[in-house]
Amino acid sequence: MPLTERFTTLLKNHGLKKTPARLRVLEILTKSSQAIAYSEIEHQMKAVADRVTLYRLLISFEEQGLIHKTFDHQGTAKYALCQANCDIHTHHDEHVHFNCTQCNGTFCLDTVILPAISLPKGYSASSYQFAITGICKNCRG
Amino acid sequence: MPLTERFTTLLKNHGLKKTPARLRVLEILTKSSQAIAYSEIEHQMKAVADRVTLYRLLISFEEQGLIHKTFDHQGTAKYALCQANCDIHTHHDEHVHFNCTQCNGTFCLDTVILPAISLPKGYSASSYQFAITGICKNCRG
DNA sequence: GTTGCAAATGCAACAATATTGCATTTACGT
DNA sequence: ACGTAAATGCAATATTGTTGCATTTGCAAC
Ligand SMILES: [Mn+2]
Ligand SMILES: [Mn+2]
Ligand SMILES: [Zn+2]
Ligand SMILES: [Zn+2]
């Protein structure tokens, strides 16, 4: 299935209107092998949309389960497409994120298995975020 | 040992000069049961120091291993005293952080045991950040 | 206790990130 | 083709964090 067609159904399935800005963001995120920062997305947008539109679009995408957001070791927000079938109610893509201190890249590690954690009494968990900081495979000599 | 005296040795041991702003920050962090945000520290400082001084002071403290920094579920930086004997070279206090979605509190959970994680080939880890999001013990009905 | 100097601070300016209100435009079901 | 809710653009504002530089201060050596 061609990309544009996939994006069209994706947007429709999540109750979002098809607009040039949204298609462009989906394209950018699809072609990226990493989670990417707002500034990088804006850069690649090449003025397809206003900054505010981009922010609001990312919020919608996250709310509707098209993308997820993670903060890297420096606190920078990074966005990536959801792999699983996430929707407005639940994100199903809890996975490890790897942050490289050399290239500042953020990778979604879907293959790593998250071990169970037992919390102290009184706390109730709704989601987990596991991040690992180090050197990524691209940056190794 | 009285607080001020403890702070004095703490600063000296880490090669930092004793100043009113630094003593105040140590006091604020000592008295807090949670990791707290820059804005909260600034608020409690009551104009003991300039904003820039506070930022620079926090950077020094972190570099020298007096405090550690974590990002909550909203990406807000939160600071807390190091429990272990951390220094300029290594932080020894890798523990789970709990972020409450109701009060926005961030708790250092020193008792929770971090399970081992095996990474895919090519990645090498230097540190881990495990955060749990949910409802804290104070916010439960 | 005086001195010297690196460290720490204050102030101004700047940069990045993010949000809000409101008028205008657009997508899309009918 | 039309009507309307959703999406966008623009201006203004807020928060967070950084940088350069002049001044002050802590503290070790004398
Ligand atoms: Mn991810
Ligand atoms: Mn902590
Ligand atoms: Zn890398
Ligand atoms: Zn709470």
Side-chain angles (χ1 to χ4, degrees), chain A residues 123-134:
Chain A
Y123 295 91
S124 73
S126 57
S127 70
Y128 301 81
Q129 298 84 40
F130 203 142
I132 302 178
T133 304

Side-chain angles (χ1 to χ4, degrees), chain B residues 7-79:
Chain B
F7 297 157
T8 305
T9 17
L10 191 60
L11 289 171
K12 175 165 265 182
N13 286 347
H14 289 85
L16 294 170
K17 293 184 175 173
K18 179 168 75 168
T19 70
R22 286 173 175 178
L23 289 174
R24 185 84 189 95
V25 169
L26 287 177
E27 192 189 0
I28 292 168
L29 290 178
T30 300
K31 290 183 174 165
S32 172
S33 62
Q34 304 184 19
I36 52 182
Y38 163 82
S39 59
E40 175 63 20
I41 302 176
E42 183 183 44
H43 176 69
Q44 291 194 39
M45 290 284 285
K46 294 190 180 121
V48 170
D50 187 76
R51 307 182 337 98
V52 178
T53 299
L54 180 49
Y55 273 114
R56 288 198 271 230
L57 174 166
L58 291 170
I59 292 171
S60 297
F61 277 13
E62 197 192 2
E63 282 176 355
Q64 304 302 326
L66 275 78
I67 64 173
H68 62 278
K69 181 184 187 175
T70 179
F71 298 100
D72 74 7
H73 61 299
Q74 302 189 101
T76 305
K78 300 279 186 77
Y79 301 90

Side-chain angles (χ1 to χ4, degrees), chain A residues 15-17 19 21-22 48-50 52-53 56-57:
Chain A
L16 295 170
K17 293 184 176 174
T19 70
R22 287 174 173 178
V48 169
D50 188 75
V52 179
T53 300
R56 288 199 270 230
L57 174 166

Side-chain angles (χ1 to χ4, degrees), chain A residues 40-137:
Chain A
E40 174 64 19
I41 301 175
E42 183 184 43
H43 176 71
Q44 291 193 39
M45 290 284 286
K46 292 189 180 123
V48 169
D50 188 75
R51 303 175 353 91
V52 179
T53 300
L54 180 49
Y55 274 113
R56 288 199 270 230
L57 174 166
L58 290 171
I59 292 170
S60 297
F61 276 14
E62 196 189 4
E63 282 175 355
Q64 304 303 324
L66 275 77
I67 64 174
H68 62 279
K69 181 184 188 174
T70 179
F71 298 100
D72 73 8
H73 60 300
Q74 304 190 96
T76 304
K78 300 277 185 82
Y79 301 90
L81 284 183
C82 290
Q83 273 91 8
N85 49 328
C86 304
D87 61 29
I88 188 169
H89 297 301
T90 36
H91 277 249
H92 304 284
D93 52 353
E94 257 169 32
H95 50 249
V96 172
H97 287 114
F98 187 93
N99 299 307
C100 179
T101 51
Q102 191 159 332
C103 65
N104 276 319
T106 296
F107 302 82
C108 297
L109 299 186
D110 302 290
T111 58
V112 177
I113 294 154
L114 264 181
I117 281 269
S118 72
L119 278 175
K121 252 189 171 244
Y123 295 91
S124 73
S126 57
S127 70
Y128 301 81
Q129 298 84 40
F130 203 142
I132 302 178
T133 304
I135 303 292
C136 78
K137 57 180 191 304

Side-chain angles (χ1 to χ4, degrees), chain B residues 98 100-105 107 134-140:
Chain B
F98 187 92
C100 179
T101 51
Q102 191 159 330
C103 64
N104 276 321
F107 303 82
I135 303 293
C136 78
K137 57 183 190 306
N138 303 331
C139 290
R140 288 213 322 184

